[in-house]
Amino acid sequence: MPTPCVVGLEERSLESVVAHQMISQDHQAPDRQNIELESAKAEMGEVKEENERLKMMLDKIEKDYQSLQLCFFDIIKQEASKRCTKSAPSHEQIDQESELVSLCLGRSTPSHELKRDEKGCNNPCNSKTIKDLEWKYNHNIGWESTEQLASSDPSSKEPNKQIVEAGDTWLPSKTLKTMRNGDDEISQQTHVKRTRVSVRARCDTPTVNDGCHWRKYGQKISRGNPCPRAYYRCAVALECPVRKQVQRCAEDMSILIATYEGTHNHPLPMSATAMASATSAAASMLLSGSSISEPGLGSTTTTIAAPILNAFNLNLLDNSGAKRFYVPNSSLTTPLFPTVTLDLTAPPSPPHTLFNRSSSSFVSNPRFLSRSLSFSSSEPTIPTGWDSGYHGYTAVPYNKTHTGFLNPGKQSQHFYQSYLEKNDQASSQESITETLTKAIASDPTFRSAIASTISSMVGGGATHDNQGGVERLCQKPKWGEPVQAVYPDPSAQNGKACQTSYFNRFSLPLSVSKSTSASSPTIEDQMNRQV
DNA sequence: CGTGTTTGACCGGCGC
DNA sequence: GCGCCGGTCAAACACG
């Protein structure tokens, strides 16, 4: 990994030294100049040392990332081994497990493929499966809600039909109808298993900029909500099946509810991967709920350690904390679709709450689990220094001695410092690490969520800078071209779109367009208030 | 002129 | 069977 910032630092320092010398030459005696030269040389030496340190840190970070990745694959292998040892699992078991495995670190891995992998070989721990997983992990840039995974019987004699119905392609209902003949069971399962991920964000703008490119295809005024619901489909790829519904919350007009459904069948813009990962993880948690729900506590509880969520700034709603009103009559909570809600509007949970429970109060229908994750927007637990890639790691020590160059801004510095302070005050790093370790070891869903998050951070951080991002924001993707750029949601009227604070949390290579930052003061205000 | 949005019509599911 | 409702389609329209 190149270290442009380090090189830049050196150049900048040299420039300043030379400039300083030129000024000095005009007014000062040769002795003085020699002294200046000496000090300049000394300074250069320091800078070089600093550069070396920075390079070493970068190397270390790289190695850490690689070892994390290796650990992740080890865990996957272990999971596969466990499955091997189970004798003659039922279809249900296979379905549930595939839901867990398919956490979909990203881009569409058609369910049937995974299931074929799993069933096709009696020995799922064979190298092909692992390699597939690794390949998918390495190439993933998207999300896959797991709705498809359990939908079809892999033993079906009509694989093509399966692909159509359980896979990525969203077919018009008419088409589906014609294809359903004689196979109602499968389609019904598909329908029932379709998972929706709903994201609530406080936002003044007409839509949420999640980094993806959407085309509006309809609008309806739904019952129980005076605000119209807008229907979008993914416009990044022609046949992408993903749909999005956007509607304001009836009870609080400042809250925008975006509901995602389906699976992207194409690479996603970098800026969309975080939301993809989050929704994927959320959907996975939802669907893997059978393994973690607690009986006797109402219909659903979630047992995911809050510190883990906090580490990624995913806070489960505490019962006493966040507001919960979930558009009761809305189809966003339709009984047919299990829905998981990511709440970006809620206040943060208490830092010491290890196991927050999401109450079942918002569960619209007991037939399905619904979970609410609060991507709390008011308390950063990850320094925004990550925004600019790796140098977030070095921002603090560097900024103490040098100002401005690598410093991404006072705001970030404040974030980082407050982050450190909070860590000091709230809980020891050790306990967090412990909890992290336990949760990672015990919850495969979380492993995947973490891995996907890391992949989106690392994958994005190195390739974007703020300026370049802004420039790319103005470019329009062309059909058929691979989408790599960050661009705002063009479907937003007047280019206004709400870049949710969630993205800042995840330190995406986030480039907020001018229109965004100018037109959506809400998020900016929130950020400022956090400082 | 190409692209995206708007909006009324249409369709299917569901409850009564 | 009927009506309601959510979701989708597609022609018309707007905009750059």
Side-chain angles (χ1 to χ4, degrees), chain A residues 153 176 271 316 394:
Chain A
D153 181 356
L176 269 181
S271 56
L316 287 179
T394 62

Side-chain angles (χ1 to χ4, degrees), chain A residues 379-400:
Chain A
E379 201 164 333
T381 50
I382 293 180
T384 54
W386 288 35
D387 283 351
S388 44
Y390 290 123
H391 44 90
Y393 285 95
T394 62
V396 166
Y398 185 80
N399 287 337
K400 280 179 181 172

